[in-house]
Amino acid sequence: MKILLISPTVDAEKRTNKGLMMPQLALYILAGLTPQEIEVKVVEEEIDHIDLEQECNLVGISCLTANAPRAYDLCQEFKKRGKTVVLGGVHPTILPDEALQHADCVVVGEAEGVWETLINDFRNGNLKRKYHDPSPDLGRYIPKDFSKIIKKRLYNLIPIMTTKGCPYNCDFCCVTNLFGKEIRHIPIENIVRDIQESGAKNFLFLDDNIIGHPKYSKELFKAIKPLKINWVGQASISLLVGDDELLQLASESGCKMLFFGIESVSIEQIKIMRKAIQDIEHLESAFKKIKKMGILIHASMVFGFDNDTTEVFDDTVQFLIKNKVNTVSFNVLTPYPGTKTYQDMKKEGRLITTDWRYYDHNTVVFKPKNMIPYELQIGKVKARKQFYSISSVLKRFTGNLYNPIAYFATNYGHMKQVKVEAKRIAKIKSELF
Ligand code: SF4
């Protein structure tokens, strides 16, 4: 028996900048869960061509929202060729009935508790339509084979996940719907084993908040310190700067850059989002403290909240340049299915499209309150252009002298994307605006 595991691109004709990408962990977990006598092939369409004619018995496709239409096209192609197709991932979990219109079977939520049962059922000709384990055991070790990626240097970072679940249930996020309200941990010895067995030196912790449970995080950082790795991850800024020991341990364990979901520099919006950051001064002093530890800051900003006016773009960029932030992701608010934001916007008739290809947090798919959709779209593109201009890169460099190579390498990667994005928006303008 042979299983083909696929992560599709959004657009089969285009690939993302490799430097900004990482391997899709879900595929390597599925491969690790598959009984050894079964041959498994992993294909990430961002780097590999998908051969629709290849020999296999079962095809597993994992997708988010933006690449769901491509996943559905692939389902059709493989089914035409007599293959059985299973869909899983964020989007099929949120909309399993939509996914079942395209696939033979859907895995809802995490695959850890159901993948082996699904394979057995398939072998016995008894495949069910849906598989779901709401709280699989995270305690057992699942080997993940990244050797091909590391040998061929296909990606810069190897992904690791240490926790699942989030108690906050933010309006625009579906993580709580996906993984539940309770934070569940993967045993630290399994994380250490993942790192050691991968043979890699550079890692990305995929957790929505690598310090969400400070006691666990401190133990984790102490355990990985002797491994002498470099890592980047996402963290809550208020938790981190309120705990000096945590910040120190993160730095000592190899943390080189942290992503912070700042989202907005508007105090009204920060209050609405119930962020623990109370004011801009608080945020600025937090930045200083993190930089002192030699950790680069990547901020994630979101444009398009109901309070945002056309002034938001310039205010945001000025704030980020003034604080000499290393890199920034400029996103537009995206009403992903499964979130309260989606339900509200649908009820209010504010969705411009439900073509999921555009649900990529870069494209405006709704009517904002205080500007027209195209103003929001162009404002976002210009903010990125301004932040990654040569003068801004040079100005911000003085605040990031502690890691000049990483500073210029990461800024260069983002600068290259500015033109790509402007071209893409010009291309889709007539389709959406
Ligand atoms: S945005 Fe972050 S804090 Fe809010 S629900 Fe999602 S993962 Fe949790």
Side-chain angles (χ1 to χ4, degrees), residues 76-138:
Q76 196 186 353
E77 292 301 327
F78 281 114
K79 283 175 78 174
K80 242 197 273 173
R81 289 162 176 80
K83 310 289 192 254
T84 301
V85 188
V86 181
L87 274 174
V90 173
H91 193 78
T93 292
I94 298 294
L95 298 176
D97 294 332
E98 178 188 287
L100 278 173
Q101 290 168 25
H102 305 273
D104 298 289
C105 160
V106 63
V107 174
V108 174
E110 296 152 70
E112 280 89 336
V114 298
W115 185 242
E116 289 118 308
T117 311
L118 184 155
I119 291 174
N120 261 336
D121 289 352
F122 172 72
R123 280 167 144 177
N124 297 328
N126 187 28
L127 189 71
K128 317 267 186 317
R129 293 283 275 164
K130 272 186 206 172
Y131 289 84
H132 179 42
D133 178 347
S135 188
D137 171 23
L138 299 184

Side-chain angles (χ1 to χ4, degrees), residues 160 162 188 191-192 195 200-205 210-211 214 216-233 235 240 244-258 293-295:
I160 296 196
T162 72
I188 288 173
I191 309 289
V192 170
I195 292 173
K201 275 286 159 210
N202 302 312
F203 296 87
L204 168 65
F205 286 110
I210 186 67
I211 53 159
Y216 171 87
S217 310
K218 286 177 190 177
E219 282 169 26
L220 172 71
F221 297 155
K222 283 179 198 163
I224 63 174
K225 183 180 165 186
L227 306 179
K228 304 215 176 306
I229 59 165
N230 302 312
W231 64 267
V232 300
L240 192 67
D244 289 348
E245 188 195 6
L246 187 57
L247 186 55
Q248 178 80 31
L249 287 170
S251 167
E252 287 173 4
S253 69
C255 177
K256 296 291 176 253
M257 177 157 64
L258 283 170
M293 295 308 297
I295 296 172

